[in-house]
Amino acid sequence: MKTIEEAVITALKENTSWDGEIKMEQTLRDELGIDSFGVLMIINTLEDEFGIEISNEDIEGLGTVADIINRLNEILSVNA
Amino acid sequence: MNLQQFYQRFNVDYELVRKAGFNPYYPVIESGLDDIIIVEGKKFIDLASNNYLGLANDIRLKDAGKLAIEKYGMSLCATPIASGYSELYDMVRHKLSEFVGLENTILYPSCYQANNGLFNVIAGREDIAIIDRCSHSSLIEGVKSAGCKIWPFRHNDMTHLEKGLKISQKYRQAYVITESVFSTEGTIVPFNEIVALCDKYGALPVIDDSHGIGVIGKTGRGILEHADIKDYNGIYTASLGKSLANSGGMISGKKEIIDFLKYYSSHLVYSTSIIPSSLAGIDAILDIIDKEFPERSKKMWHYTKLICDTLIELDYKVSNSSTAITSIKSGNPLETLQLTRKIFDRGILVTPFIYPSVQYNEGRIRLIAGANLTQPTLDKALKAFRNIND
Ligand SMILES: Cc1ncc(COP(=O)(O)O)c(C=O)c1O
């Protein structure tokens, strides 16, 4: 299985038109141009990858790439 | 808590408009949709409205509207379930069912309202909405209000859609939601494939045919005719304010679902009925389409091709359109407004789209040439594009 960081970066690349390097501190909307449906697509890809369910509340307040990784870490540690 | 703070939250961000030195939104229209229209005192060629068949200002529609006003007045001042349901409403909804080839239809005051109100009646938390990521705001807000799982799929990407359908099996019901002709891109849905995938996985297709009805299909009956789909078992919605040149929104499908919406859709039940003059106008336009569709659509497609070919020749990036919508990929929002300004300055009215109508940091400029335009007027518009930088 991919590491969380690898999975997030793959999901970002798969679901957005961004083809440059992805850095942790990059903001999803302003820097990577990801809208709310884009975030949902990334989350849905990650759900599939890790076999988990991520609720709408879990997605709230995600601003940067690092935020997604941190939130995913939290969810996976609760599920572990 | 104080009201001063409350009102301070509502500051429109005019930064982009300031940078572009121009605001293309809410232009004040001072005429009907003729060959030349008047916008803020100036003559314009209309490539902005969705008046595909060019019938919005047709005398026959206006006369039909006038007769309805004579008989029913401006409004029945009531919701359909109460006393807003006229014989005209009853007749027109059945005529529309026949037109698109579906069992039954109900009419909302607008298609935004129809799409927005549909999903909280039919879907709930146990369900999943698999929705094309380029879908119209009314569909997006509609599925959000249902509280179901939302699974956007890449635009018209059937492999990605099927992935969603595989995942959907653990939900009570999956809905696959899309448009026929995408309003900002002008792309067209591969609806046969979607219906086949829905059948395979037991999902319910929901199609918004707002830019397809009266435009595509051999006789203008929209996406179901275009894709030659018989016995459609999903839900169909369309605006009556585009090609059909009136206002209102229809939801059509199996009798069971329409009967249910009639009593349980709050967006319908608690909203004043679509007005009589619109109903009469829809009645009239369906008869006109029956007779004049071949000739009018021929003109519309001819104009569309001319516009598309000219823009490509002039090196514009034009989205891959096989419909009556030509959409220029106009760069970021600032570039989009700057180009729109040049086009407006040449006396051509177009529709610029920026976020959230299109993806963040992108822009589109949409052109639609209605069949009411004359060839000399269209030639003038094309010439203006050729000279845009002079
Ligand atoms: C695809 C689509 N669906 C729905 C609507 C809303 O239709 P109406 O104007 O009837 O509310 C529009 C119109 O803007 C549209 O383009």
Side-chain angles (χ1 to χ4, degrees), chain B residues 4 31 41 55 58 75 135 139 167 227 236 262 292 334 339 355 361 385 388:
Chain B
Q4 206 180 346
S31 70
L55 286 163
D58 189 277
S75 169
S135 295
L139 296 166
I167 288 162
Y236 173 99
K262 263 173 80 178
E292 298 179 9
L334 181 59
L339 179 56
Y355 181 81
N361 225 11
F385 271 99
I388 205 112

Side-chain angles (χ1 to χ4, degrees), chain A residues 14-15 29-30 33 35 37-38 40-41 44 47-48 53, chain B residues 131 133 140 149-154 160 163 170 355 360:
Chain A
E14 256 178 45
N15 291 293
R29 204 183 95 155
D30 289 345
D35 58 10
F37 259 25
L40 275 179
M41 289 165 85
N44 290 338
E47 278 188 330
D48 193 30
E53 279 188 33
Chain B
I131 175 167
R133 71 114 57 241
I140 296 175
K149 169 85 181 166
I150 302 175
W151 206 95
F153 64 96
R154 292 194 278 272
H160 200 212
K163 195 165 175 199
K170 58 177 187 257
Y355 181 81
Y360 194 71

Side-chain angles (χ1 to χ4, degrees), chain B residues 83-145:
Chain B
S83 53
Y85 186 78
S86 59
E87 64 200 315
L88 192 55
Y89 185 129
D90 188 65
M91 185 266 284
V92 168
R93 78 185 182 101
H94 290 114
K95 196 163 172 172
L96 280 165
S97 300
E98 229 169 82
F99 186 73
V100 295
L102 291 168
E103 251 175 54
N104 212 336
T105 296
I106 194 75
L107 304 175
Y108 289 68
S110 79
C111 188
Y112 198 101
Q113 208 166 312
N115 287 344
N116 204 225
L118 171 65
F119 298 98
N120 62 26
V121 183
I122 61 171
R125 295 188 72 83
E126 322 82 311
D127 298 326
I128 180 169
I130 306 175
I131 175 167
D132 189 290
R133 71 114 57 241
C134 289
S135 295
H136 192 259
S137 153
S138 52
L139 296 166
I140 296 175
E141 295 306 320
V143 294
K144 278 186 185 165
S145 74

